Structures are given as structure tokens and as C-alpha cells.
Amino acid sequence: MTYERSWATLPRMCGIVGYVGKRPALSIVLDGLRRLEYRGYDSAGVAVIDRDEVLTEKRAGKLANLEKALADRVDDGIAVGSTAIGHTRWATHGGPTDRNAHPHASGDGRIAVIHNGIIENFSRLRAEIEATGVEFTSDTDTECAAHLLAAEMRALRESGSPEGPQTLAEGMRRAVSRLEGAFTLLAVDVQTPDAVVAARRNSPLVVGRGAGENFLASDVSAFIEHTREAIELGQDQVVLITPGGIEITDFAGAPAAGKEFHIDWDASAAEKGGYDYFMLKEIAEQPQAIADTLLGRLSERGDIVLDEVRLTDQDLRDVDKVFIVACGTAYHAGMVAKYAIEHWTRIPCEVELASEFRYRDPVLDRSTLVVAVSQSGETMDTLMALRHAKQQKARVLAICNTNGSTIPRESDAVLYTHGGPEIAVASTKAFLTQLVACYLIGLHLAQVRGVMYADEVAAVVSRLRRTPDALRELLGKMEDVRALARDLKSSSTVLFIGRHVGYPVALEGALKLKELAYMHAEGFAAGELKHGPIALIDKGTPVVCVVPSPAGRGVMRDKVVSNIQEVRARGARTIVIAEQGDDGVVAYADHLIEVPRTPTLLAPLMTTVPLQILACEIAAARGHDVDQPRNLAKSVTVE
Ligand code: F6R
């Protein structure tokens, strides 16, 4: 499988399953949810149509909680109905609680909806719907879709449309025309018991074609036990499944077709989306993870929107110093952030290993902003640093990928990275989304302090929005890196050098190689080489060199090129990561890895990716467990 092949069909965030046929739907949907369990989730729920009722059950926590609740309901229709939808949630809007778990019902209880993605205009829609007297029962953006669909179905019935699947599909088309953002929506309606309708925009959805039964899912693994014939929905399509049919239209109602394919993986590979390792899958998910993290961040007024803000703009204007605290890969994201935050805001910014922070007695007060960066939100070192900062009256802002975890709960403000669950121990998509979140915080600070205009902020955001496409292009050209990895697998050491934002990228490249391939690897600031580390260079020593864009500060790029010449002169084998079109580096590169052009401060979103792949492939070539390297755990909850 190539890296670009399946980014569009990869699951992210929530898991979705739908079934319509002749068999009891509940067990099929629960099996599907179990297959999606590897993605980790914080709540799960199902809705089953039985005769004239939509029966739902939903629970916060693991799937086992839902299964326990369902065990008491064996005698009711939920166990026998043959149309159902099911959902595992990775919380975005609204914490991981029973009431926020999906499905969400319309006010009259006739319709149930599940959703993957983020509805960007949800606060406007919610206000509009509430103004009509509807009461919301959750904090989710999804509930808007349930109420909108119910309103459209009422309007269609009132205008004389016949009951039936076609009207349900039309209701869905009308409802989604009101939504902005990313969504896969699945809905069932008690008036149309033998149908499930779904819509897709910017979020994955596949159809499984069975005999006398059909399936919907965010990932084929959910139905691979039952059928291997699948259809990938295109952008902005609505699909209606009934026991005997699959009808696809575009959002305007014109007939459309999805991409049919045969699934040739076995069930065990399916949960990894056909990839050999979760890490490779998560690397491939990065374009989508970045796009999701950016979704809904610019308000109509052009302000950057954080998720939970218990800080006023005045608090942010009063900030006179920023500390970023984090561990490991998250710390490297913080190092990149320092360059961006200082450049955009002109506020001094320090980056500190969380495990060191409180022991050196940092100078903190009310006007210090501490940014705690953590994928898991549970890293004890980062949590203790945060608590120390709070005791000293500093304000704390969390960047986190796990909704409802301890670090965001204890912070004054939160910006969630919407990267979806990261299963591989080595952090990849969390890193890139942490970078995006850090950029957004830098821009937000610059904006509220009046050092950047809204249009300047929007220009950077628009460059950020172009990075997913550039990254997809890059991921499509990684064959040479894989070949290089096989070649380097027996090296005794690999060194990494970079300058400016390329320096943390060098550190990150070395960390990945150490933790996955168990090889000696070191990252250096390129300018530091001559102060000692250059003595390590021997004949054939591989040195990965991260070259800044010539379009940024030309002098910086030229200095790195000189550093490459220095190591080459001492026998190094150079692996050069440079921007497309930077022909001046070709002569100094034993291996050239070109990345798409990106503004200087955003370059780590590109340059890190070949290093992730290099480490992953070297580890695999050395026969190591890529997803679970020795001695490491995904969440480090001890100091
Ligand atoms: C390396 C890696 C770790 C984590 C670090 C912090 O690939 O994953 O270095 O970045 O343990 O974890 P979080 O971000 O959960 O606080």
C-alpha cells in the first residue's frame, strides 16, 4: 500500500456503522463498533428501529459500558430490529458524557442521527433552532443535524411528499445544505423503517454491498466479516441504503456514483486500514488531521476560535512572557512554536521540558502564560508543571488531543488538536497537529494584542489550509525514503542537523529513530557542529540535513548548505531535505528528499514527515515492533 492511496478513506475521530437487512441489526452494529475499538473512544451508542419506535442506548466510556447497558434489554425490540446505526465517539464538541454520546434524537424522537466530523456553523444553527422553541439535550454540534433533518421531514410531509426512503433522502439533502464543515451523517427515521440515509462531506464513508442487506461505515473493517464488496462515497454525496438497494446522489439530488472496490485485506489488517502498522496509518492520516485541527478556527469576524476559553482578551493582552511546557515530541512542537510566537507576537517565549520546569523555580506570575502541550492530556510531568504554574498564579492554556483529559480540565483555556486517536506509541499526527495548534495560539495572541491585523492572520491561516494538499503530494513520493531506510538499517549511528525551525525537526527525527529503531541518533543545531559534534563524523556516517527555504532568510539557508559541505568534507553521507526547486543543494546531497514549498515558519509540517517514515521503515527493516517499541508506553502517567 502506498502512502497516498487511502488517506481519503481513512477513518478519523468517531467510528460509524449502519445496517439494514433481515438479520437482527444490533449484534452486527456492535461487532462493527468492536472492530473500530482500536481507535479508542470515549463513548458509544446505538439506535435500532423496531416497528414504530427508535430505540437508543448510549454510554460514556468504553464499548463494554454500552454492552452492559444493552445486556439488560435482551427482551425488548432493540435486540431484534433489523435497521440500526451505531457510533463510537472521539469527543470534539461537548465532553465525553452519556448525554453527549451519539445517537442524537430529534425533539419528537422519530429521528436518530450519528455524526463524524465537525459542523463549523453549529453555534449559529443552534441559536436559530432554539429560537423556534426546540430544546437541546446535549452540547454537541451533531444535535443540530437531528433537529434540522426533523424540520425538513416535517416540511416535506406537509407539502405532500409521500412517506418512504426517497423522501428521507431528500430530507437529508436539504438538511446538509445548511451545514458547513466536515461531516459524515447517518440517520434513521421511524417512518421509514427499512432504510438508513447518509451524507458525506470531508469525512470518510464507505458502503458495504451485501445480499439482501447493506452496510455503511467510516471504515471497511466494520463490515469486512459480512462483505468484501464496497463503495467509497465521493465528496458531497448522499447515499440511501435499503435491504435491496444502494442509491447515491449528489447534494442537489442528481444521480451519482461512488468508487466500487473489492477489499482484499483480511480482517486483522482491516483495523489498520490495510497498513502494516498503525504508525504508517497515522502518518497517512496527517493531511486530514491538520485539516480537522484547522476546521472552524476562524470566526466570521476573522478571529481565531479556541475551544474552551476561561481567559479574557485582556488577560492575553497582559501576558508579558510565554512558557511552553511539554515532553518528548510535544516538547519539539513547543520548540517550533517559540520561533513563531516570538516572531508574530514579540512576546518572549521559553520552551521548557515539563520534567525540569518546576524544579528550577521558574519566575512566574499573573502575566505569564504557560502553554502545556500534550497529546494524551495525562502526562504526569506536564500535569505537575501545569499545577506548579497555577500555584504561582500563571495562566495556563492547554493544547491537547484528548477531550476531557486531566491537563485540559485543569487549564484556563484549551485548544484541542482534532487529530483523532493516536494508537502507535511514537507520536506522528499528534506532532503535526500540535504545531498547527501552536501556530493558531501565536496568531491569536498577536491578534488580541494588536500586533497583527485580522487579514494578516487570515493570510497565515490560508497558507496553513493549503498544507494538507501539499502533504498529500509529499506522502505520494516516499518510495525513495523507504528504499533509503532499507539501506540505512545497519548503520551504527545517524546524525540530524538543522537550523531555526529545522533544529527541532532534527531533534524529532533523531528521537523517532532512537525510540523505534533502537539506534544511536542525535540531533544538533547545525551551527553547533563545529563546537564539538563534528568529531563524530566518520567515513560514511549518515547525516540528515534539514535545509531552510531559500525564500525565507537566504542567509540561514546558505549557512546550512555550508554546514552540509563541512560534514561532507569529513566523509559524511548526506541525506538532504530541501524545498522543491532549491537546486543549489543538489551537488551536496548523496540523497535528496524534496518537500513542497512552504513558508519558513510552517516548514516543519513538511520536513518532519520523511523523518517519521525513515524511522518507521528502518525499525521495520530491523524487525522491531513499530507500534509498541520496547520500554515505552503511550501515556506516561508517572513522574
Ligand atoms: C515520542 C512520543 C513521546 C510523547 C511524550 C509526551 O514519539 O510520543 O515523546 O510525545 O511522552 O506525551 P504527551 O503528548 O501525551 O504528553
Side-chain angles (χ1 to χ4, degrees), residues 260-527:
E260 308 231 359
F261 63 101
H262 175 78
I263 308 156
D264 51 10
W265 320 320
D266 63 9
S268 68
E271 63 179 25
K272 292 175 187 153
Y275 288 88
D276 291 341
Y277 315 104
F278 280 113
M279 185 178 173
L280 283 178
K281 173 174 162 290
E282 286 159 11
I283 288 171
E285 283 175 330
Q286 292 183 115
Q288 194 61 56
I290 292 177
D292 287 344
T293 301
L294 285 168
L295 211 59
R297 294 300 182 193
L298 264 197
S299 74
E300 273 152 31
R301 284 181 36 212
D303 299 326
I304 300 241
V305 182
L306 305 184
D307 292 296
E308 292 168 23
V309 190
R310 296 171 280 271
L311 288 176
T312 63
D313 282 0
Q314 190 54 49
D315 291 332
L316 294 178
R317 279 193 279 275
D318 290 343
V319 168
D320 61 12
K321 172 127 195 178
V322 177
F323 272 109
I324 301 177
V325 290
C327 304
T329 288
Y331 170 72
H332 296 152
M335 286 180 74
V336 174
K338 174 183 162 72
Y339 292 91
I341 290 176
E342 290 193 335
H343 183 75
W344 288 330
T345 68
R346 312 307 301 151
I347 313 172
C349 176
E350 299 294 333
V351 193
E352 185 104 19
L353 287 169
S355 53
E356 289 293 318
F357 185 65
R358 66 188 172 129
Y359 299 107
R360 71 164 184 84
D361 221 357
V363 182
L364 303 163
D365 60 30
R366 249 173 213 296
S367 39
T368 314
L369 178 70
V370 172
V371 180
V373 188
S374 174
Q375 188 285 129
S376 61
E378 301 294 348
T379 300
M380 191 54 77
D381 290 314
T382 312
L383 181 61
M384 293 318 247
L386 175 165
R387 288 184 179 157
H388 180 75
K390 289 201 86 177
Q391 273 162 12
Q392 309 293 308
K393 308 278 182 264
R395 320 280 183 172
V396 180
L397 192 161
I399 291 178
C400 186
N401 195 39
T402 313
N403 199 306
S405 56
T406 313
I407 288 172
R409 267 206 326 265
E410 296 196 13
S411 299
D412 299 306
V414 186
L415 199 153
Y416 283 111
T417 50
H418 294 154
E422 196 176 61
I423 312 293
V425 164
S427 198
T428 53
K429 62 177 177 170
F431 177 69
L432 292 205
T433 55
Q434 282 161 353
L435 291 180
V436 171
C438 287
Y439 294 136
L440 291 173
I441 283 169
L443 294 171
H444 185 64
L445 276 173
Q447 194 171 31
V448 296
R449 296 165 70 86
V451 288
M452 270 173 106
Y453 295 118
D455 54 355
E456 291 175 298
V457 170
V460 181
V461 173
S462 131
R463 289 308 301 252
L464 278 169
R465 286 200 168 127
R466 277 191 255 158
T467 55
D469 280 343
L471 204 46
R472 281 174 196 128
E473 181 197 324
L474 178 65
L475 286 166
K477 297 181 183 158
M478 287 291 104
E479 268 319 303
D480 286 354
V481 176
R482 303 180 79 172
L484 178 64
R486 290 189 287 274
D487 214 29
L488 291 181
K489 76 169 193 191
S490 306
S491 303
S492 55
T493 185
V494 181
L495 305 181
F496 295 74
I497 60 169
R499 237 173 230 267
H500 191 254
V501 291
Y503 169 41
V505 170
L507 294 177
E508 177 60 9
L511 174 62
K512 283 286 159 292
L513 201 54
K514 284 184 245 200
E515 70 177 321
L516 294 170
Y518 320 149
M519 278 164 78
H520 177 253
E522 292 242 28
F524 301 107

Side-chain angles (χ1 to χ4, degrees), residues 136-149:
F136 275 67
T137 56
S138 76
D139 312 314
T140 63
D141 49 347
T142 307
E143 200 181 332
C144 288
H147 296 307
L148 281 176
L149 178 57

